[in-house]
C-alpha cells in the first residue's frame, strides 16, 4: 500500500506588508480533491501540521468566487467526511519521512505564513527531495521550500523546474496586492526555473525529477492524478 504524508499549514492568517492580518488557512479544493483521489486508489494517508495544531480552512476557498457551485459542494462534502482526520493531525516534528512513499503539500495562503519559515518542514523537504521519493507542492505550498537548506546552506531546489501561484493570479485578490512578497517572484529569485500556464487559473503541472508542482487550485486534480499514474507505473515495473 502506498503511504502518503499530507503536510498542511497550521496558520490561520497571512500577514501583509502594511501589518494587516488577513484570515487564511488551507485551501479547501487543494486538500480535498487530492485526498479524495488518493483515497480512491487505496493509499494510506497521514495528515501532519506544525505542532499537531488543527488546520484552519480558508473560508474564502468555499466562497462563490472560488469555483463552480457543484465543485464547492463536492469539496465541502468531502472535507466533512474526513472531519475526524482533520481534527487530529500528527505533529510534524514527530514524523519520519522514511515511513512514507509520497509527500504532498496542499496550499492556501497558510504556507506563506508558517511553512515558509518552518525549520522542521524545511528539513523534511530537503530530505525527501534528496531521497528521490515523489514530493508534491500545490499552489502556494512551494513557499514551504524556502525553509529548506542543504548542509552547506544552499537551496536544494535551485535549478528545479517549478510552478506555483503566479503574480497575476495573486493580484486577482485585492489583499494579494499587499503581500510582503509574491511566490512567483521569490521562486525565480531563489533559483528555481519557474513557469506557468499561458492563461491564469488553468490547470498546469510541472514535473522535474521527483518534484511535482501545481500552479493553482484548478491544478489540484491534475497534480494528484499525475502522481497516481507515476506511482502506479513505477510499481508495475
Amino acid at each position: 500500500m502506498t503511504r502518503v504524508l499530507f503536510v498542511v499549514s497550521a496558520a490561520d492568517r497571512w500577514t501583509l506588508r502594511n501589518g494587516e492580518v488577513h484570515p487564511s488557512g488551507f485551501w479547501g479544493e487543494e486538500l480535498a480533491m487530492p485526498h479524495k483521489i488518493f483515497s480512491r486508489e487505496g493509499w494510506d494517508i497521514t495528515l501532519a501540521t506544525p505542532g499537531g495544531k488543527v488546520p484552519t480552512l480558508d473560508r474564502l476557498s468555499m466562497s462563490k468566487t472560488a469555483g463552480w457551485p457543484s465543485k464547492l459542494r463536492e469539496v465541502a462534502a468531502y472535507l466533512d467526511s474526513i472531519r475526524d482526520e482533520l481534527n487530529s493531525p500528527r505533529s510534524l516534528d514527530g514524523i519520519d519521512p522514511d515511513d512514507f512513499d509520497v509527500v504532498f503539500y496542499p496550499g492556501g495562503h497558510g504556507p506563506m505564513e508558517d511553512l515558509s519559515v518552518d525549520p522542521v518542514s524545511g528539513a523534511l523537504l530537503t530530505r525527501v527531495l534528496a531521497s528521490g521519493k515523489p514530493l508534491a507542492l500545490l499552489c502556494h505550498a512551494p513557499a514551504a521550500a524556502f525553509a529548506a537548506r542543504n548542509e552547506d546552506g544552499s537551496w536544494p531546489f535551485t535549478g528545479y523546474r517549478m510552478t506555483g501561484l503566479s503574480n497575476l493570479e495573486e493580484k486577482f485578490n485585492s489583499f494579494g496586492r499587499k503581500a510582503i512578497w509574491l511566490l512567483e517572484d521569490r521562486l525565480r529569485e531563489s533559483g528555481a526555473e519557474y513557469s506557468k500556464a499561458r492563461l491564469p487559473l488553468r490547470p498546469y503541472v510541472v514535473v522535474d525529477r521527483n518534484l511535482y508542482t501545481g500552479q493553482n487550485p484548478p491544478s489540484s486534480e491534475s497534480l494528484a492524478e499525475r502522481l497516481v499514474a507515476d506511482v502506479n507505473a513505477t510499481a508495475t515495473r
Side-chain angles (χ1 to χ4, degrees):
M1 179 184 293
T2 298
R3 300 160 298 174
V4 56
L5 173 67
F6 267 63
V7 179
V8 185
S9 168
D12 61 2
R13 64 193 65 196
W14 184 31
T15 305
L16 304 176
R17 187 173 58 247
N18 61 358
E20 178 184 348
V21 173
H22 181 76
S24 187
F26 71 87
W27 199 261
E29 181 178 359
E30 296 174 24
L31 191 152
M33 299 314 297
H35 193 292
K36 186 174 186 177
I37 289 168
F38 299 154
S39 294
R40 184 184 65 207
E41 290 296 314
W43 289 11
D44 181 59
I45 301 171
T46 296
L47 265 65
T49 65
K53 183 179 177 181
V54 175
T56 298
L57 172 65
D58 188 334
R59 298 312 306 178
L60 186 62
S61 71
M62 305 307 297
S63 69
K64 62 182 180 180
T65 62
W68 294 104
S70 59
K71 175 60 69 177
L72 295 176
R73 288 194 295 270
E74 180 182 6
V75 168
Y78 191 77
L79 290 176
D80 188 61
S81 76
I82 61 169
R83 184 178 302 277
D84 289 346
E85 190 175 347
L86 289 168
N87 287 339
S88 55
R90 290 181 57 184
S91 180
L92 191 57
D93 60 8
I95 292 291
D96 182 350
D98 290 342
D99 292 338
F100 300 92
D101 305 299
V102 177
V103 175
F104 188 96
Y105 279 61
H109 285 109
M112 302 277 279
E113 184 78 11
D114 63 351
L115 296 178
S116 65
V117 294
D118 188 296
V120 175
S121 173
L124 184 148
L125 286 168
T126 302
R127 187 168 165 185
V128 175
L129 188 68
S131 75
K133 294 179 181 179
L135 170 62
L137 308 170
L138 176 58
C139 195
H140 284 98
F146 300 133
R149 286 292 180 271
N150 293 316
E151 289 186 4
D152 63 2
S154 61
W155 195 47
F157 293 86
T158 296
Y160 274 81
R161 291 182 290 109
M162 299 176 69
T163 191
L165 198 78
S166 68
N167 290 351
L168 177 59
E169 289 168 324
E170 190 69 86
K171 292 176 181 177
F172 285 162
N173 296 310
S174 60
F175 59 86
R177 299 173 184 272
K178 305 175 186 177
I180 296 173
W181 47 267
L182 297 175
L183 181 60
E184 176 184 340
D185 287 344
R186 194 164 171 192
L187 285 171
R188 293 183 189 277
E189 292 163 1
S190 297
E193 295 185 13
Y194 178 89
S195 65
K196 57 189 174 184
R198 292 181 61 187
L199 296 174
L201 298 178
R202 298 293 191 273
Y204 186 70
V205 172
V206 173
V207 181
D208 187 352
R209 289 158 278 185
N210 62 316
L211 179 63
Y212 293 69
T213 50
Q215 181 176 330
N216 45 36
S219 303
S220 300
E221 292 175 72
S222 298
L223 179 60
E225 289 165 353
R226 175 65 186 271
L227 276 166
V228 167
D230 287 357
V231 169
N232 287 346
T234 299
T236 58
R237 287 176 187 167

